[in-house]
Amino acid sequence: MTNKTIKLDDTLYRYVLDHSLREHPEQTALRTATASHRLANMEIAPEQGQFMALLVRLIGARNTIEIGTFTGYSALSVALALPADGHLLACDISREYTDVARPYWARAGVAHKIELVIAPALETLDARLAAGEAGRYDFAFIDADKTGYDAYYERCLKLLRYGGLIMIDNALWSGAVARPAQDADTRALQALNDKLHADARIDFSLLPLADGIGLARKH
Ligand code: CA
């Protein structure tokens, strides 16, 4: 028994997956297809996708944002959890990677829920703010260039309704955030973690799930 977060070795991690994972067949297929990709570690962990889906259902999200879609596993996880008229604004700069996603979204029957915009995410988010969409979104997932996180967070905070949720990926960055930073990405994540810890605009939790998740509820 422990009152600290448990350490997961491979055996216990396997147990967690074996006793919790409930993937749609297209999620399994997409994960298998992405495993051989040279940037496969950019994909979220499957237990994280399931946790995102749970959060989306928990807050009754209909209108959601994703910054950093890659080959589409996280978007698929969220889209499957959204109601039939739900919407995901998926922002990415790579047509090559997101083209991998489309057939899986289609076969899972959720392609109509996903609006993929290929452009720098800040441009997309600023356009939505300029179009009067502040306060219209329920959930946002940030998983793109780390030095851009702070700007994405500020835009998402404006776009979210009160009670809306922002999930920030790679918040623990393989543990690098707890050591002196050697690079700009680590410095950016450290600065954002410090900022969120003290940010009075949100309720906050820093979770050691997958590569670390910052969870911020707008209040
Ligand atoms: Ca990530």
Side-chain angles (χ1 to χ4, degrees):
M1 207 192 304
T2 174
N3 64 355
K4 291 197 293 190
T5 297
I6 197 166
K7 280 185 185 162
L8 285 186
D9 59 19
D10 288 348
T11 304
L12 190 52
Y13 181 53
R14 190 72 249 166
Y15 179 92
V16 170
L17 295 182
D18 288 347
H19 292 81
S20 66
L21 210 54
R22 297 177 177 183
E23 282 187 314
H24 186 285
E26 292 301 331
Q27 285 178 295
T28 311
L30 177 53
R31 194 156 57 84
T32 305
T34 303
S36 58
H37 195 285
R38 65 187 168 82
L39 296 173
N41 64 358
M42 279 173 55
E43 185 175 65
I44 63 162
E47 67 275 21
Q48 182 180 350
Q50 187 165 317
F51 183 57
M52 290 169 73
L54 182 71
L55 293 175
V56 162
R57 290 262 171 93
L58 193 62
I59 66 169
R62 308 180 81 82
N63 210 11
T64 61
I65 302 169
E66 171 173 278
I67 301 160
T69 294
F70 188 45
T71 56
Y73 187 90
S74 48
L76 180 56
S77 302
V78 167
L80 284 165
L82 286 171
D85 62 346
H87 170 251
L88 171 66
L89 171 63
C91 307
D92 204 286
I93 50 171
S94 171
R95 193 166 294 282
E96 179 194 347
Y97 300 152
T98 52
D99 273 352
V100 174
R102 291 180 189 274
Y104 296 90
W105 295 346
R107 282 193 295 270
V110 298
H112 66 285
K113 300 181 192 175
I114 302 172
E115 178 193 0
L116 176 63
V117 179
I118 303 294
L122 271 190
E123 287 177 14
T124 303
L125 300 175
D126 282 341
R128 301 299 161 124
L129 284 166
E133 295 188 9
R136 298 267 184 90
Y137 291 82
D138 307 296
F139 179 85
F141 177 52
I142 300 175
D143 186 14
D145 54 301
K146 307 313 168 202
T147 53
Y149 267 30
D150 189 40
Y152 302 143
Y153 168 72
E154 288 298 332
R155 288 349 181 254
C156 286
L157 203 55
K158 288 192 176 82
L159 287 163
L160 249 59
R161 65 166 166 89
Y162 291 102
L165 211 52
I166 303 176
M167 179 186 277
I168 293 153
D169 198 38
N170 304 107
L172 296 180
W173 206 222
S174 302
V177 290
R179 299 187 290 268
Q182 306 293 331
D183 61 277
D185 287 349
T186 305
R187 269 191 294 278
L189 289 165
Q190 288 173 331
L192 184 60
N193 285 341
D194 289 346
K195 171 175 160 171
L196 296 179
H197 184 202
D199 195 334
R201 299 170 296 175
I202 56 167
D203 303 311
F204 183 60
S205 186
L206 182 54
L207 299 173
L209 176 69
D211 193 30
I213 286 171
L215 205 51
R217 176 185 176 273
K218 180 177 175 177
H219 66 69

